[in-house]
């Protein structure tokens, strides 16, 4: 197992539509090696999701692992480390909400993106077995962000107002305190 290089915005692979994996490829040693490397890479980078195109493999595969608990996004349900192959997203309710997203391929930046908050995900696992998940809120945003990578999209493509793209340090210094204060006020008023 090894940590792979994460390619950054500007690398053409991040803008390609990745190909589906064939059933006979899914259980292969090569695929198991790639997934092991992606897990190492995700842990090394301290992220919550990594799509294969981010390590320059243009195939429809992503790993997601969300520790859960109390975060700056509120209380988040945990998602144990899971491999998603050839995933599809169905929006079950178009109502959207926004989060400040970041991406290992766009280091140092954050952007505010509004996405549907109720989705159904269908995918295969590493044993080529079908999975189906209903996701809401922050998790729905994470999955849409990760699977966008398989279609050559980055979160910055969804930013409606360019002033909502900022550096991480400035986000923590100027935006996060304002958001926390607004949430506190809301809690006091409710
Ligand atoms: Ni990303």
């Amino acid at each position: 197992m090894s940590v792979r290089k994460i390619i950054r915005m500007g690398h053409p692979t991040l803008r390609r539509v990745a190909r589906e994996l064939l059933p006979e490829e899914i259980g292969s040693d090569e695929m198991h090696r790639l997934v092991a490397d992606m897990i190492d890479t995700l842990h090394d980078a301290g992220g919550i999701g990594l799509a294969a195109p981010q390590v320059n493999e243009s195939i429809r595969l992503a790993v997601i692992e969300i520790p859960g608990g109390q975060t700056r996004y509120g209380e988040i349900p945990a998602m144990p480390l899971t491999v998603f192959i050839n995933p599809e997203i169905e929006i079950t309710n178009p109502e959207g909400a926004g989060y400040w997203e970041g991406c290992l391929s766009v280091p140092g930046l954050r952007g505010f993106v509004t996405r549907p908050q109720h989705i159904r995900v269908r995918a295969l696992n590493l044993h080529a077995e079908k999975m189906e998940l209903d996701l809401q809120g922050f998790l729905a945003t994470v999955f849409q962000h990760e699977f966008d990578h398989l279609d050559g999209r980055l979160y910055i493509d969804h930013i409606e107002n360019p002033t909502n793209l900022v550096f991480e340090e400035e986000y923590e210094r100027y935006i996060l305190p304002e958001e926390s204060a607004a949430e506190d006020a809301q809690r006091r008023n409710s």
Side-chain angles (χ1 to χ4, degrees):
M1 292 194 289
S2 54
V3 172
R4 298 219 188 175
K5 183 183 175 186
I6 297 175
I7 61 174
R8 305 199 302 177
M9 180 168 63
H11 192 299
T13 298
L14 289 173
R15 291 310 196 173
R16 282 172 60 192
V17 176
R19 69 170 180 88
E20 289 212 338
L21 282 176
L22 303 168
E24 58 268 30
E25 288 178 287
I26 291 175
S28 70
D29 288 349
E30 197 189 340
M31 207 51 60
H32 281 275
R33 266 197 301 277
L34 172 63
V35 167
D37 285 355
M38 284 177 62
I39 292 167
D40 281 355
T41 307
L42 179 67
H43 288 161
D44 180 68
I48 56 177
L50 186 69
Q54 294 182 275
V55 292
N56 204 15
E57 299 283 350
S58 197
I59 53 176
R60 303 186 79 79
L61 185 156
V63 295
I64 295 177
E65 180 181 42
I66 301 170
Q70 191 58 45
T71 72
R72 63 189 173 80
Y73 300 111
E75 182 77 24
I76 289 172
M79 160 78 54
L81 182 70
T82 309
V83 179
F84 297 88
I85 295 168
N86 299 342
E88 282 169 27
I89 287 179
E90 179 193 340
I91 294 163
T92 49
N93 177 343
E95 194 188 323
Y99 294 94
W100 285 90
E101 298 186 21
C103 180
L104 296 173
S105 293
V106 191
L109 293 175
R110 284 198 180 275
F112 189 79
V113 175
T114 301
R115 300 183 191 261
Q117 295 295 287
H118 294 83
I119 62 169
R120 182 165 298 146
V121 168
R122 293 185 183 86
L124 300 176
N125 65 18
L126 259 188
H127 308 291
E129 296 158 345
K130 286 183 182 168
M131 305 184 255
E132 194 174 302
L133 289 172
D134 284 305
L135 299 163
Q136 287 157 35
F138 179 70
L139 289 190
T141 280
V142 170
F143 277 69
Q144 288 170 85
H145 174 122
E146 290 311 324
F147 298 164
D148 261 359
H149 281 299
L150 309 181
D151 287 323
R153 282 193 297 265
L154 298 172
Y155 79 81
I156 57 158
D157 306 348
H158 299 288
I159 297 174
E160 284 161 19
N161 178 347
T163 63
N164 283 336
L165 181 65
V166 302
F167 286 105
E168 224 156 47
E169 278 178 49
E170 279 70 11
Y171 166 78
E172 275 162 27
R173 182 161 177 189
Y174 299 108
I175 296 169
L176 193 56
E178 266 184 38
E179 290 201 328
S180 308
E183 277 165 27
D184 287 346
Q186 211 170 30
R187 259 196 297 275
R188 275 195 302 274
N189 293 333
S190 62

